[in-house]
Amino acid sequence: MIWIGSALVILSVVLMFFIILREKDIKSAQGTGTGNFVVPVAVYYAAPDLSLENVNGHVESLSDFRGQVVLVNNWATWCPPCKAEMPTLVKFHKDHSSEGLAIIAIEAGEPREQVLQYVENFGMPFNVWLDPNGQALIVFRNQNLPSSYVLDRGGNVRYAWTGEISREQLDKYVVPLLRE
């Protein structure tokens, strides 16, 4: 019986070890603030026709922002990598809004009150749109969160990526568009 008990204890320890490693792999793959960022893909297509209500109750369209470099960020209040990247977006906006940068953060489905609380908690100084039906996810053909798209001043999507954004990526890919 002692041998069986000892074997079960050893088996349990080994099993726990593999479970912990698996959880680390999953978190790393999801980009949950671990610094595991995804590189944007260079694309070139006209921005989709998208109009949504902002948190203040006014309808805005992507076309309203022509002439600016626009970073569209699809996110959700419950999404860990979305939470992890939000301070980066806030700081980037503060550093570059005077150069013609607009950020449109499109929240995927939560009620206005919950989104407003999130906006307040993170001090989000940019445009926040509500997307109760997932229209942005549909028109950009990407159901993953967070997902981001950079539009040039002419209204063309130039970069697209899924996953947590780093400041280094923003500096490397978005800043040059601001200088065009």
Side-chain angles (χ1 to χ4, degrees):
M1 290 304 247
I2 293 174
W3 286 104
I4 292 174
S6 297
L8 288 175
V9 168
I10 291 171
L11 183 60
S12 297
V13 169
V14 170
L15 185 58
M16 286 302 291
F17 176 75
F18 284 112
I19 289 172
I20 290 168
L21 283 179
R22 177 70 178 142
E23 285 178 7
K24 282 184 178 181
D25 289 345
I26 290 169
K27 286 180 181 176
S28 178
Q30 292 172 339
T32 56
T34 63
N36 207 10
F37 304 105
V38 180
V39 175
V41 175
V43 296
Y44 194 88
Y45 60 91
D49 184 26
L50 179 65
S51 298
L52 292 169
E53 188 175 303
N54 66 27
V55 291
N56 300 316
H58 300 59
V59 174
E60 295 180 320
S61 300
L62 286 180
S63 60
D64 297 340
F65 294 86
R66 287 271 167 92
Q68 297 180 47
V69 173
V70 180
L71 189 150
V72 176
N73 179 255
N74 290 318
W75 63 285
T77 61
W78 49 263
C79 166
C82 301
K83 290 178 185 177
E85 76 180 358
M86 201 54 68
T88 300
L89 293 175
V90 168
K91 176 84 169 98
F92 190 74
H93 181 268
K94 287 180 181 175
D95 291 346
H96 295 285
S97 62
S98 65
E99 299 172 51
L101 172 72
I103 294 180
I104 302 172
I106 304 176
E107 204 290 326
E110 297 299 327
R112 179 185 319 274
E113 298 75 29
Q114 187 172 344
V115 175
L116 282 169
Q117 184 63 50
Y118 190 96
V119 168
E120 184 179 318
N121 290 345
F122 278 92
M124 296 164 64
F126 38 77
N127 300 285
V128 178
W129 294 2
L130 303 172
D131 193 6
N133 300 316
Q135 285 179 275
L137 300 173
I138 293 167
V139 299
F140 281 105
R141 297 186 179 123
N142 187 349
Q143 300 295 314
N144 298 301
L145 297 175
S147 57
S148 299
Y149 306 88
V150 180
L151 286 60
D152 64 21
R153 295 180 192 275
N156 298 299
V157 180
R158 299 280 294 275
Y159 293 103
W161 70 92
T162 299
E164 185 180 334
I165 294 174
S166 72
R167 179 59 188 246
E168 292 78 19
Q169 290 172 330
L170 294 171
D171 289 339
K172 182 176 180 180
Y173 296 100
V174 180
V175 169
L177 291 177
L178 290 168
R179 303 215 167 107
E180 283 184 358

